[in-house]
Amino acid sequence: MEFHHVPVLLKETLELLAVKPDGIYVDCTLGGGGHSEAILKKLEAKGLLIGIDQDKDAINATSQRLAVYGSKFKAVHANYSQLARILAAHDVRGIDGVLFDLGVSSYQLDAGERGFSYMHDAPLDMRMDRSRNTSAKELVNCLSEEELARVIWEYGEERWAKRIAQFIIQKRKQAPIETTGQLVEVIKAAIPAGARREGPHPAKRTFQALRIAVNQELEVLKNTIEQAVHFLHPGGRIAIITFHSLEDRIVKEIFRKLARGCTCPPGFPVCVCGKEPVIDILTKKPVVASPLELKVNPRARSAKLRAAVKR
């Protein structure tokens, strides 16, 4: 399958990044390279874009497609949590912009064998980096009922988390749950019929939760945003596209903290911590897809874009 990617909120992202022709940019989630290619088109010979992805399929396919940009483009197979090491390896001390387009890519969803989608019956995998030891199959078959319920509730915000966890435990006592199809059937059995008739696919939230847990997505995001801001030159910009409320909340809170600076308790008459604001937030409210974009790319409906500029 071709690694094709329709970039979400492309025009808005480029405007907020304000790409400089000779700038150095990092796309922390290269994927199919849609955003990266748009940035590369704006770069002149001295410009550089480093594309990072933990999915080897993405790196291989997109490296070939973007090879026409020559030395302006470098692809790195790694998790973006390794940003500091990656920049050091390329002798880069500061950058002009950084982009995160989070979540699962269209290719990963459409490649049924990767186990990300509840619409395809496939091995229960969900690893973005297939060299990882732990897949969704291990979590589903090895976590305790309490841990399963916690993961499904915390990462999926699924109101039926406890019941789904109970049904998973009952099912796996008979035989291991090995495929996405088997898991979907368990989830459908666990959620009462009335609740299944409303809202999205009954397995959507549980699959999201397992994917986040397998890839440790939220922990990695929390630990990397401030690191990325640290490497920005003054006037450099950070843009982050999220696809669910958990990610968006993390981005909003970290941006607010970096824009506030002072961490003294509200009752203090004067600041004693001495912390200065690091960024100015460019998006008071998140940018969302236009009705026109939603017609062309329905997967953009849950996308939210936030951006900031370094002081």
Side-chain angles (χ1 to χ4, degrees), residues 142-191:
C142 300
L143 289 183
S144 68
E145 185 178 318
E146 292 74 19
E147 268 299 287
L148 265 175
R150 183 193 66 78
V151 164
I152 296 167
W153 166 249
E154 208 170 290
Y155 297 156
E157 299 178 300
E158 170 58 75
R159 62 185 285 225
W160 300 103
K162 278 189 178 178
R163 197 170 150 88
I164 292 167
Q166 287 167 0
F167 275 60
I168 287 171
I169 299 296
Q170 288 167 14
K171 185 70 177 175
R172 79 188 196 193
K173 280 178 184 171
Q174 300 161 23
I177 299 169
E178 298 192 331
T179 70
T180 54
Q182 289 173 331
L183 182 58
V184 168
E185 289 309 308
V186 175
I187 295 165
K188 282 181 176 175
I191 298 177

mmCIF file of all heavy atoms in Angstrom, residues 142-191:
data_model
loop_
_atom_site.group_PDB
_atom_site.id
_atom_site.type_symbol
_atom_site.label_atom_id
_atom_site.label_comp_id
_atom_site.label_asym_id
_atom_site.label_seq_id
_atom_site.Cartn_x
_atom_site.Cartn_y
_atom_site.Cartn_z
ATOM 1 N N CYS A 142 -2.646 -9.392 29.172
ATOM 2 C CA CYS A 142 -1.791 -9.488 30.368
ATOM 3 C C CYS A 142 -2.132 -8.495 31.483
ATOM 4 O O CYS A 142 -1.841 -8.768 32.646
ATOM 5 C CB CYS A 142 -0.320 -9.315 29.975
ATOM 6 S SG CYS A 142 0.255 -10.567 28.812
ATOM 7 N N LEU A 143 -2.715 -7.343 31.157
ATOM 8 C CA LEU A 143 -3.030 -6.367 32.203
ATOM 9 C C LEU A 143 -4.127 -6.901 33.128
ATOM 10 O O LEU A 143 -4.998 -7.657 32.696
ATOM 11 C CB LEU A 143 -3.501 -5.040 31.600
ATOM 12 C CG LEU A 143 -2.469 -4.160 30.886
ATOM 13 C CD1 LEU A 143 -3.124 -2.859 30.424
ATOM 14 C CD2 LEU A 143 -1.263 -3.849 31.760
ATOM 15 N N SER A 144 -4.093 -6.479 34.387
ATOM 16 C CA SER A 144 -5.158 -6.841 35.325
ATOM 17 C C SER A 144 -6.436 -6.115 34.938
ATOM 18 O O SER A 144 -6.408 -5.147 34.152
ATOM 19 C CB SER A 144 -4.762 -6.429 36.749
ATOM 20 O OG SER A 144 -4.727 -5.009 36.842
ATOM 21 N N GLU A 145 -7.555 -6.558 35.491
ATOM 22 C CA GLU A 145 -8.839 -5.918 35.199
ATOM 23 C C GLU A 145 -8.807 -4.439 35.588
ATOM 24 O O GLU A 145 -9.279 -3.574 34.847
ATOM 25 C CB GLU A 145 -9.966 -6.631 35.954
ATOM 26 C CG GLU A 145 -11.346 -6.111 35.612
ATOM 27 C CD GLU A 145 -12.455 -6.861 36.339
ATOM 28 O OE1 GLU A 145 -12.377 -8.103 36.438
ATOM 29 O OE2 GLU A 145 -13.392 -6.179 36.810
ATOM 30 N N GLU A 146 -8.190 -4.132 36.745
ATOM 31 C CA GLU A 146 -8.109 -2.744 37.220
ATOM 32 C C GLU A 146 -7.277 -1.881 36.268
ATOM 33 O O GLU A 146 -7.652 -0.754 35.942
ATOM 34 C CB GLU A 146 -7.501 -2.684 38.629
ATOM 35 C CG GLU A 146 -8.369 -3.286 39.726
ATOM 36 C CD GLU A 146 -8.408 -4.819 39.714
ATOM 37 O OE1 GLU A 146 -7.503 -5.449 39.115
ATOM 38 O OE2 GLU A 146 -9.345 -5.377 40.287
ATOM 39 N N GLU A 147 -6.141 -2.430 35.817
ATOM 40 C CA GLU A 147 -5.268 -1.674 34.906
ATOM 41 C C GLU A 147 -5.932 -1.456 33.555
ATOM 42 O O GLU A 147 -5.839 -0.376 32.969
ATOM 43 C CB GLU A 147 -3.918 -2.405 34.722
ATOM 44 C CG GLU A 147 -2.833 -1.977 35.682
ATOM 45 C CD GLU A 147 -2.487 -0.493 35.532
ATOM 46 O OE1 GLU A 147 -1.850 -0.116 34.545
ATOM 47 O OE2 GLU A 147 -2.884 0.300 36.416
ATOM 48 N N LEU A 148 -6.589 -2.488 33.045
ATOM 49 C CA LEU A 148 -7.299 -2.361 31.768
ATOM 50 C C LEU A 148 -8.370 -1.277 31.850
ATOM 51 O O LEU A 148 -8.478 -0.427 30.968
ATOM 52 C CB LEU A 148 -7.957 -3.690 31.394
ATOM 53 C CG LEU A 148 -7.198 -4.629 30.454
ATOM 54 C CD1 LEU A 148 -7.956 -5.930 30.303
ATOM 55 C CD2 LEU A 148 -6.952 -3.996 29.092
ATOM 56 N N ALA A 149 -9.151 -1.325 32.941
ATOM 57 C CA ALA A 149 -10.209 -0.320 33.126
ATOM 58 C C ALA A 149 -9.621 1.083 33.204
ATOM 59 O O ALA A 149 -10.159 2.039 32.632
ATOM 60 C CB ALA A 149 -11.015 -0.643 34.380
ATOM 61 N N ARG A 150 -8.480 1.210 33.907
ATOM 62 C CA ARG A 150 -7.827 2.519 34.043
ATOM 63 C C ARG A 150 -7.377 3.044 32.682
ATOM 64 O O ARG A 150 -7.604 4.211 32.340
ATOM 65 C CB ARG A 150 -6.624 2.429 34.989
ATOM 66 C CG ARG A 150 -5.947 3.787 35.237
ATOM 67 C CD ARG A 150 -4.593 3.652 35.898
ATOM 68 N NE ARG A 150 -3.599 3.002 35.056
ATOM 69 C CZ ARG A 150 -2.949 3.608 34.046
ATOM 70 N NH1 ARG A 150 -3.197 4.868 33.752
ATOM 71 N NH2 ARG A 150 -2.052 2.938 33.348
ATOM 72 N N VAL A 151 -6.714 2.195 31.895
ATOM 73 C CA VAL A 151 -6.218 2.595 30.573
ATOM 74 C C VAL A 151 -7.375 3.025 29.676
ATOM 75 O O VAL A 151 -7.326 4.083 29.027
ATOM 76 C CB VAL A 151 -5.419 1.433 29.915
ATOM 77 C CG1 VAL A 151 -5.227 1.663 28.417
ATOM 78 C CG2 VAL A 151 -4.066 1.269 30.591
ATOM 79 N N ILE A 152 -8.452 2.220 29.652
ATOM 80 C CA ILE A 152 -9.588 2.511 28.767
ATOM 81 C C ILE A 152 -10.309 3.789 29.203
ATOM 82 O O ILE A 152 -10.740 4.592 28.369
ATOM 83 C CB ILE A 152 -10.546 1.304 28.706
ATOM 84 C CG1 ILE A 152 -9.826 0.097 28.080
ATOM 85 C CG2 ILE A 152 -11.790 1.627 27.884
ATOM 86 C CD1 ILE A 152 -10.568 -1.231 28.243
ATOM 87 N N TRP A 153 -10.399 4.004 30.519
ATOM 88 C CA TRP A 153 -11.058 5.214 31.025
ATOM 89 C C TRP A 153 -10.177 6.446 30.835
ATOM 90 O O TRP A 153 -10.608 7.486 30.337
ATOM 91 C CB TRP A 153 -11.417 5.044 32.509
ATOM 92 C CG TRP A 153 -11.791 6.349 33.159
ATOM 93 C CD1 TRP A 153 -11.083 7.028 34.104
ATOM 94 C CD2 TRP A 153 -12.945 7.158 32.890
ATOM 95 N NE1 TRP A 153 -11.722 8.204 34.440
ATOM 96 C CE2 TRP A 153 -12.870 8.307 33.708
ATOM 97 C CE3 TRP A 153 -14.037 7.023 32.026
ATOM 98 C CZ2 TRP A 153 -13.835 9.313 33.695
ATOM 99 C CZ3 TRP A 153 -15.004 8.040 32.011
ATOM 100 C CH2 TRP A 153 -14.896 9.154 32.841
ATOM 101 N N GLU A 154 -8.900 6.319 31.227
ATOM 102 C CA GLU A 154 -7.997 7.481 31.225
ATOM 103 C C GLU A 154 -7.638 7.931 29.817
ATOM 104 O O GLU A 154 -7.622 9.123 29.512
ATOM 105 C CB GLU A 154 -6.712 7.101 31.985
ATOM 106 C CG GLU A 154 -6.019 8.283 32.645
ATOM 107 C CD GLU A 154 -4.896 7.818 33.570
ATOM 108 O OE1 GLU A 154 -5.189 7.236 34.625
ATOM 109 O OE2 GLU A 154 -3.729 8.024 33.202
ATOM 110 N N TYR A 155 -7.327 6.989 28.944
ATOM 111 C CA TYR A 155 -6.862 7.327 27.595
ATOM 112 C C TYR A 155 -7.981 7.324 26.543
ATOM 113 O O TYR A 155 -7.804 7.882 25.465
ATOM 114 C CB TYR A 155 -5.759 6.374 27.146
ATOM 115 C CG TYR A 155 -4.500 6.433 27.977
ATOM 116 C CD1 TYR A 155 -3.626 5.337 28.027
ATOM 117 C CD2 TYR A 155 -4.162 7.563 28.716
ATOM 118 C CE1 TYR A 155 -2.462 5.382 28.792
ATOM 119 C CE2 TYR A 155 -3.006 7.605 29.478
ATOM 120 C CZ TYR A 155 -2.165 6.511 29.510
ATOM 121 O OH TYR A 155 -1.009 6.549 30.260
ATOM 122 N N GLY A 156 -9.103 6.679 26.865
ATOM 123 C CA GLY A 156 -10.206 6.634 25.907
ATOM 124 C C GLY A 156 -11.415 7.428 26.357
ATOM 125 O O GLY A 156 -12.337 7.640 25.576
ATOM 126 N N GLU A 157 -11.404 7.864 27.626
ATOM 127 C CA GLU A 157 -12.542 8.572 28.204
ATOM 128 C C GLU A 157 -13.846 7.804 27.917
ATOM 129 O O GLU A 157 -14.871 8.377 27.567
ATOM 130 C CB GLU A 157 -12.609 10.015 27.690
ATOM 131 C CG GLU A 157 -11.363 10.812 28.072
ATOM 132 C CD GLU A 157 -11.356 12.242 27.555
ATOM 133 O OE1 GLU A 157 -11.408 12.416 26.322
ATOM 134 O OE2 GLU A 157 -11.289 13.177 28.363
ATOM 135 N N GLU A 158 -13.746 6.479 28.061
ATOM 136 C CA GLU A 158 -14.848 5.566 27.777
ATOM 137 C C GLU A 158 -15.655 5.311 29.041
ATOM 138 O O GLU A 158 -15.133 4.778 30.018
ATOM 139 C CB GLU A 158 -14.283 4.240 27.214
ATOM 140 C CG GLU A 158 -15.281 3.104 27.078
ATOM 141 C CD GLU A 158 -16.454 3.456 26.191
ATOM 142 O OE1 GLU A 158 -16.282 3.490 24.951
ATOM 143 O OE2 GLU A 158 -17.549 3.693 26.761
ATOM 144 N N ARG A 159 -16.923 5.688 29.042
ATOM 145 C CA ARG A 159 -17.753 5.568 30.251
ATOM 146 C C ARG A 159 -17.993 4.112 30.647
ATOM 147 O O ARG A 159 -18.289 3.815 31.813
ATOM 148 C CB ARG A 159 -19.079 6.304 30.067
ATOM 149 C CG ARG A 159 -19.963 5.774 28.956
ATOM 150 C CD ARG A 159 -21.197 6.633 28.744
ATOM 151 N NE ARG A 159 -22.198 6.421 29.786
ATOM 152 C CZ ARG A 159 -23.499 6.276 29.539
ATOM 153 N NH1 ARG A 159 -23.936 6.317 28.285
ATOM 154 N NH2 ARG A 159 -24.360 6.092 30.520
ATOM 155 N N TRP A 160 -17.875 3.177 29.692
ATOM 156 C CA TRP A 160 -18.097 1.757 29.972
ATOM 157 C C TRP A 160 -16.783 1.019 30.215
ATOM 158 O O TRP A 160 -16.713 -0.201 30.080
ATOM 159 C CB TRP A 160 -18.866 1.098 28.819
ATOM 160 C CG TRP A 160 -20.207 1.726 28.585
ATOM 161 C CD1 TRP A 160 -20.538 2.601 27.589
ATOM 162 C CD2 TRP A 160 -21.388 1.558 29.372
ATOM 163 N NE1 TRP A 160 -21.857 2.994 27.700
ATOM 164 C CE2 TRP A 160 -22.407 2.357 28.791
ATOM 165 C CE3 TRP A 160 -21.691 0.800 30.522
ATOM 166 C CZ2 TRP A 160 -23.688 2.432 29.304
ATOM 167 C CZ3 TRP A 160 -22.982 0.878 31.023
ATOM 168 C CH2 TRP A 160 -23.963 1.676 30.425
ATOM 169 N N ALA A 161 -15.746 1.736 30.605
ATOM 170 C CA ALA A 161 -14.402 1.144 30.754
ATOM 171 C C ALA A 161 -14.380 -0.068 31.685
ATOM 172 O O ALA A 161 -13.797 -1.104 31.356
ATOM 173 C CB ALA A 161 -13.421 2.210 31.253
ATOM 174 N N LYS A 162 -15.012 0.047 32.859
ATOM 175 C CA LYS A 162 -14.993 -1.066 33.823
ATOM 176 C C LYS A 162 -15.658 -2.305 33.244
ATOM 177 O O LYS A 162 -15.160 -3.419 33.387
ATOM 178 C CB LYS A 162 -15.712 -0.657 35.120
ATOM 179 C CG LYS A 162 -14.848 0.134 36.080
ATOM 180 C CD LYS A 162 -15.559 0.301 37.420
ATOM 181 C CE LYS A 162 -14.651 1.049 38.392
ATOM 182 N NZ LYS A 162 -15.328 1.271 39.686
ATOM 183 N N ARG A 163 -16.779 -2.099 32.605
ATOM 184 C CA ARG A 163 -17.538 -3.220 32.027
ATOM 185 C C ARG A 163 -16.766 -3.867 30.877
ATOM 186 O O ARG A 163 -16.726 -5.103 30.762
ATOM 187 C CB ARG A 163 -18.900 -2.694 31.558
ATOM 188 C CG ARG A 163 -19.925 -3.771 31.328
ATOM 189 C CD ARG A 163 -21.290 -3.112 31.104
ATOM 190 N NE ARG A 163 -22.102 -3.940 30.217
ATOM 191 C CZ ARG A 163 -22.901 -4.922 30.627
ATOM 192 N NH1 ARG A 163 -22.990 -5.210 31.912
ATOM 193 N NH2 ARG A 163 -23.621 -5.608 29.757
ATOM 194 N N ILE A 164 -16.142 -3.046 30.032
ATOM 195 C CA ILE A 164 -15.328 -3.583 28.929
ATOM 196 C C ILE A 164 -14.175 -4.410 29.486
ATOM 197 O O ILE A 164 -13.888 -5.511 29.000
ATOM 198 C CB ILE A 164 -14.834 -2.448 28.003
ATOM 199 C CG1 ILE A 164 -16.013 -1.832 27.245
ATOM 200 C CG2 ILE A 164 -13.773 -2.954 27.017
ATOM 201 C CD1 ILE A 164 -15.697 -0.507 26.557
ATOM 202 N N ALA A 165 -13.514 -3.893 30.520
ATOM 203 C CA ALA A 165 -12.401 -4.629 31.150
ATOM 204 C C ALA A 165 -12.882 -5.972 31.704
ATOM 205 O O ALA A 165 -12.217 -6.998 31.531
ATOM 206 C CB ALA A 165 -11.775 -3.786 32.253
ATOM 207 N N GLN A 166 -14.050 -5.982 32.356
ATOM 208 C CA GLN A 166 -14.615 -7.236 32.890
ATOM 209 C C GLN A 166 -14.853 -8.252 31.779
ATOM 210 O O GLN A 166 -14.508 -9.429 31.916
ATOM 211 C CB GLN A 166 -15.943 -6.950 33.613
ATOM 212 C CG GLN A 166 -15.801 -6.261 34.952
ATOM 213 C CD GLN A 166 -17.139 -5.730 35.465
ATOM 214 O OE1 GLN A 166 -18.183 -5.878 34.826
ATOM 215 N NE2 GLN A 166 -17.113 -5.082 36.637
ATOM 216 N N PHE A 167 -15.441 -7.791 30.678
ATOM 217 C CA PHE A 167 -15.742 -8.686 29.551
ATOM 218 C C PHE A 167 -14.460 -9.211 28.899
ATOM 219 O O PHE A 167 -14.406 -10.366 28.472
ATOM 220 C CB PHE A 167 -16.628 -7.977 28.523
ATOM 221 C CG PHE A 167 -18.100 -8.048 28.837
ATOM 222 C CD1 PHE A 167 -18.598 -7.520 30.017
ATOM 223 C CD2 PHE A 167 -18.995 -8.633 27.950
ATOM 224 C CE1 PHE A 167 -19.963 -7.577 30.323
ATOM 225 C CE2 PHE A 167 -20.357 -8.708 28.239
ATOM 226 C CZ PHE A 167 -20.841 -8.177 29.429
ATOM 227 N N ILE A 168 -13.421 -8.353 28.819
ATOM 228 C CA ILE A 168 -12.134 -8.798 28.259
ATOM 229 C C ILE A 168 -11.550 -9.912 29.124
ATOM 230 O O ILE A 168 -11.083 -10.944 28.607
ATOM 231 C CB ILE A 168 -11.148 -7.610 28.133
ATOM 232 C CG1 ILE A 168 -11.565 -6.695 26.978
ATOM 233 C CG2 ILE A 168 -9.713 -8.104 27.919
ATOM 234 C CD1 ILE A 168 -10.787 -5.385 26.893
ATOM 235 N N ILE A 169 -11.576 -9.742 30.437
ATOM 236 C CA ILE A 169 -11.034 -10.747 31.359
ATOM 237 C C ILE A 169 -11.782 -12.068 31.201
ATOM 238 O O ILE A 169 -11.172 -13.144 31.121
ATOM 239 C CB ILE A 169 -11.108 -10.249 32.831
ATOM 240 C CG1 ILE A 169 -10.289 -8.966 33.040
ATOM 241 C CG2 ILE A 169 -10.657 -11.343 33.804
ATOM 242 C CD1 ILE A 169 -8.798 -9.090 32.833
ATOM 243 N N GLN A 170 -13.118 -11.994 31.142
ATOM 244 C CA GLN A 170 -13.930 -13.216 30.979
ATOM 245 C C GLN A 170 -13.572 -13.939 29.677
ATOM 246 O O GLN A 170 -13.417 -15.156 29.647
ATOM 247 C CB GLN A 170 -15.421 -12.869 30.981
ATOM 248 C CG GLN A 170 -15.970 -12.466 32.347
ATOM 249 C CD GLN A 170 -17.355 -11.829 32.252
ATOM 250 O OE1 GLN A 170 -18.021 -11.917 31.217
ATOM 251 N NE2 GLN A 170 -17.774 -11.156 33.320
ATOM 252 N N LYS A 171 -13.450 -13.161 28.599
ATOM 253 C CA LYS A 171 -13.176 -13.744 27.279
ATOM 254 C C LYS A 171 -11.796 -14.387 27.228
ATOM 255 O O LYS A 171 -11.631 -15.491 26.703
ATOM 256 C CB LYS A 171 -13.308 -12.654 26.209
ATOM 257 C CG LYS A 171 -13.174 -13.162 24.784
ATOM 258 C CD LYS A 171 -14.369 -14.008 24.380
ATOM 259 C CE LYS A 171 -14.272 -14.451 22.920
ATOM 260 N NZ LYS A 171 -15.380 -15.362 22.561
ATOM 261 N N ARG A 172 -10.795 -13.690 27.783
ATOM 262 C CA ARG A 172 -9.428 -14.221 27.670
ATOM 263 C C ARG A 172 -9.200 -15.439 28.564
ATOM 264 O O ARG A 172 -8.208 -16.157 28.385
ATOM 265 C CB ARG A 172 -8.399 -13.116 27.925
ATOM 266 C CG ARG A 172 -8.160 -12.767 29.365
ATOM 267 C CD ARG A 172 -7.278 -11.544 29.514
ATOM 268 N NE ARG A 172 -6.758 -11.447 30.854
ATOM 269 C CZ ARG A 172 -6.158 -10.363 31.369
ATOM 270 N NH1 ARG A 172 -6.011 -9.283 30.615
ATOM 271 N NH2 ARG A 172 -5.695 -10.371 32.605
ATOM 272 N N LYS A 173 -10.081 -15.687 29.533
ATOM 273 C CA LYS A 173 -9.983 -16.920 30.337
ATOM 274 C C LYS A 173 -10.255 -18.137 29.466
ATOM 275 O O LYS A 173 -9.726 -19.218 29.710
ATOM 276 C CB LYS A 173 -10.982 -16.869 31.504
ATOM 277 C CG LYS A 173 -10.506 -16.051 32.688
ATOM 278 C CD LYS A 173 -11.565 -16.008 33.782
ATOM 279 C CE LYS A 173 -11.114 -15.109 34.936
ATOM 280 N NZ LYS A 173 -12.232 -14.881 35.909
ATOM 281 N N GLN A 174 -11.096 -17.942 28.434
ATOM 282 C CA GLN A 174 -11.423 -19.043 27.514
ATOM 283 C C GLN A 174 -10.295 -19.254 26.502
ATOM 284 O O GLN A 174 -9.885 -20.376 26.237
ATOM 285 C CB GLN A 174 -12.727 -18.735 26.773
ATOM 286 C CG GLN A 174 -13.939 -18.545 27.698
ATOM 287 C CD GLN A 174 -15.082 -17.809 27.006
ATOM 288 O OE1 GLN A 174 -15.186 -17.803 25.781
ATOM 289 N NE2 GLN A 174 -15.934 -17.164 27.799
ATOM 290 N N ALA A 175 -9.783 -18.142 25.963
ATOM 291 C CA ALA A 175 -8.679 -18.190 24.980
ATOM 292 C C ALA A 175 -8.154 -16.767 24.800
ATOM 293 O O ALA A 175 -8.898 -15.796 24.989
ATOM 294 C CB ALA A 175 -9.181 -18.726 23.641
ATOM 295 N N PRO A 176 -6.853 -16.615 24.453
ATOM 296 C CA PRO A 176 -6.305 -15.269 24.263
ATOM 297 C C PRO A 176 -7.072 -14.494 23.173
ATOM 298 O O PRO A 176 -7.552 -15.096 22.201
ATOM 299 C CB PRO A 176 -4.857 -15.531 23.819
ATOM 300 C CG PRO A 176 -4.552 -16.910 24.286
ATOM 301 C CD PRO A 176 -5.848 -17.661 24.229
ATOM 302 N N ILE A 177 -7.187 -13.185 23.364
ATOM 303 C CA ILE A 177 -7.786 -12.302 22.346
ATOM 304 C C ILE A 177 -6.641 -11.864 21.436
ATOM 305 O O ILE A 177 -5.743 -11.148 21.874
ATOM 306 C CB ILE A 177 -8.482 -11.095 23.010
ATOM 307 C CG1 ILE A 177 -9.609 -11.583 23.936
ATOM 308 C CG2 ILE A 177 -9.022 -10.129 21.955
ATOM 309 C CD1 ILE A 177 -10.173 -10.501 24.840
ATOM 310 N N GLU A 178 -6.683 -12.292 20.181
ATOM 311 C CA GLU A 178 -5.513 -12.097 19.302
ATOM 312 C C GLU A 178 -5.757 -11.167 18.129
ATOM 313 O O GLU A 178 -4.808 -10.714 17.500
ATOM 314 C CB GLU A 178 -5.031 -13.458 18.787
ATOM 315 C CG GLU A 178 -4.577 -14.369 19.936
ATOM 316 C CD GLU A 178 -3.827 -15.587 19.466
ATOM 317 O OE1 GLU A 178 -4.100 -16.041 18.334
ATOM 318 O OE2 GLU A 178 -2.964 -16.078 20.224
ATOM 319 N N THR A 179 -7.022 -10.882 17.809
ATOM 320 C CA THR A 179 -7.293 -10.040 16.636
ATOM 321 C C THR A 179 -8.182 -8.853 16.989
ATOM 322 O O THR A 179 -8.890 -8.870 18.004
ATOM 323 C CB THR A 179 -7.987 -10.842 15.511
ATOM 324 O OG1 THR A 179 -9.324 -11.157 15.937
ATOM 325 C CG2 THR A 179 -7.229 -12.125 15.185
ATOM 326 N N THR A 180 -8.150 -7.846 16.120
ATOM 327 C CA THR A 180 -8.994 -6.662 16.312
ATOM 328 C C THR A 180 -10.466 -7.052 16.259
ATOM 329 O O THR A 180 -11.282 -6.529 17.019
ATOM 330 C CB THR A 180 -8.690 -5.601 15.234
ATOM 331 O OG1 THR A 180 -8.814 -6.211 13.943
ATOM 332 C CG2 THR A 180 -7.292 -5.042 15.381
ATOM 333 N N GLY A 181 -10.802 -7.982 15.369
ATOM 334 C CA GLY A 181 -12.190 -8.432 15.237
ATOM 335 C C GLY A 181 -12.713 -9.062 16.522
ATOM 336 O O GLY A 181 -13.848 -8.784 16.941
ATOM 337 N N GLN A 182 -11.884 -9.895 17.154
ATOM 338 C CA GLN A 182 -12.280 -10.516 18.425
ATOM 339 C C GLN A 182 -12.511 -9.445 19.489
ATOM 340 O O GLN A 182 -13.478 -9.513 20.257
ATOM 341 C CB GLN A 182 -11.196 -11.491 18.898
ATOM 342 C CG GLN A 182 -11.103 -12.766 18.071
ATOM 343 C CD GLN A 182 -9.896 -13.616 18.469
ATOM 344 O OE1 GLN A 182 -8.871 -13.088 18.918
ATOM 345 N NE2 GLN A 182 -10.013 -14.912 18.301
ATOM 346 N N LEU A 183 -11.632 -8.459 19.545
ATOM 347 C CA LEU A 183 -11.754 -7.396 20.547
ATOM 348 C C LEU A 183 -13.017 -6.571 20.309
ATOM 349 O O LEU A 183 -13.727 -6.219 21.255
ATOM 350 C CB LEU A 183 -10.511 -6.502 20.542
ATOM 351 C CG LEU A 183 -10.505 -5.370 21.582
ATOM 352 C CD1 LEU A 183 -10.640 -5.908 23.007
ATOM 353 C CD2 LEU A 183 -9.242 -4.517 21.454
ATOM 354 N N VAL A 184 -13.308 -6.252 19.046
ATOM 355 C CA VAL A 184 -14.514 -5.491 18.720
ATOM 356 C C VAL A 184 -15.759 -6.224 19.207
ATOM 357 O O VAL A 184 -16.669 -5.610 19.786
ATOM 358 C CB VAL A 184 -14.603 -5.201 17.198
ATOM 359 C CG1 VAL A 184 -15.984 -4.676 16.818
ATOM 360 C CG2 VAL A 184 -13.534 -4.194 16.780
ATOM 361 N N GLU A 185 -15.797 -7.539 19.011
ATOM 362 C CA GLU A 185 -16.955 -8.331 19.451
ATOM 363 C C GLU A 185 -17.116 -8.271 20.970
ATOM 364 O O GLU A 185 -18.230 -8.166 21.481
ATOM 365 C CB GLU A 185 -16.820 -9.790 18.969
ATOM 366 C CG GLU A 185 -17.006 -9.976 17.475
ATOM 367 C CD GLU A 185 -18.281 -9.336 16.931
ATOM 368 O OE1 GLU A 185 -19.356 -9.605 17.493
ATOM 369 O OE2 GLU A 185 -18.187 -8.545 15.967
ATOM 370 N N VAL A 186 -16.012 -8.336 21.692
ATOM 371 C CA VAL A 186 -16.051 -8.253 23.162
ATOM 372 C C VAL A 186 -16.589 -6.889 23.596
ATOM 373 O O VAL A 186 -17.431 -6.791 24.494
ATOM 374 C CB VAL A 186 -14.649 -8.496 23.777
ATOM 375 C CG1 VAL A 186 -14.676 -8.293 25.292
ATOM 376 C CG2 VAL A 186 -14.151 -9.901 23.462
ATOM 377 N N ILE A 187 -16.099 -5.828 22.955
ATOM 378 C CA ILE A 187 -16.530 -4.463 23.305
ATOM 379 C C ILE A 187 -18.025 -4.289 23.023
ATOM 380 O O ILE A 187 -18.764 -3.734 23.842
ATOM 381 C CB ILE A 187 -15.692 -3.410 22.530
ATOM 382 C CG1 ILE A 187 -14.221 -3.467 22.961
ATOM 383 C CG2 ILE A 187 -16.259 -2.000 22.748
ATOM 384 C CD1 ILE A 187 -13.269 -2.748 22.022
ATOM 385 N N LYS A 188 -18.474 -4.795 21.865
ATOM 386 C CA LYS A 188 -19.900 -4.690 21.515
ATOM 387 C C LYS A 188 -20.772 -5.432 22.535
ATOM 388 O O LYS A 188 -21.857 -4.966 22.892
ATOM 389 C CB LYS A 188 -20.141 -5.244 20.113
ATOM 390 C CG LYS A 188 -19.744 -4.295 18.991
ATOM 391 C CD LYS A 188 -20.043 -4.907 17.637
ATOM 392 C CE LYS A 188 -19.738 -3.951 16.500
ATOM 393 N NZ LYS A 188 -19.912 -4.587 15.183
ATOM 394 N N ALA A 189 -20.288 -6.574 22.996
ATOM 395 C CA ALA A 189 -21.039 -7.343 23.995
ATOM 396 C C ALA A 189 -21.089 -6.606 25.333
ATOM 397 O O ALA A 189 -22.085 -6.688 26.062
ATOM 398 C CB ALA A 189 -20.399 -8.728 24.168
ATOM 399 N N ALA A 190 -20.022 -5.871 25.645
ATOM 400 C CA ALA A 190 -19.916 -5.190 26.944
ATOM 401 C C ALA A 190 -20.773 -3.926 27.015
ATOM 402 O O ALA A 190 -21.317 -3.603 28.070
ATOM 403 C CB ALA A 190 -18.455 -4.838 27.225
ATOM 404 N N ILE A 191 -20.902 -3.221 25.905
ATOM 405 C CA ILE A 191 -21.646 -1.954 25.908
ATOM 406 C C ILE A 191 -23.124 -2.237 25.656
ATOM 407 O O ILE A 191 -23.463 -2.864 24.657
ATOM 408 C CB ILE A 191 -21.080 -0.983 24.840
ATOM 409 C CG1 ILE A 191 -19.614 -0.633 25.159
ATOM 410 C CG2 ILE A 191 -21.920 0.302 24.779
ATOM 411 C CD1 ILE A 191 -18.943 0.249 24.126
#
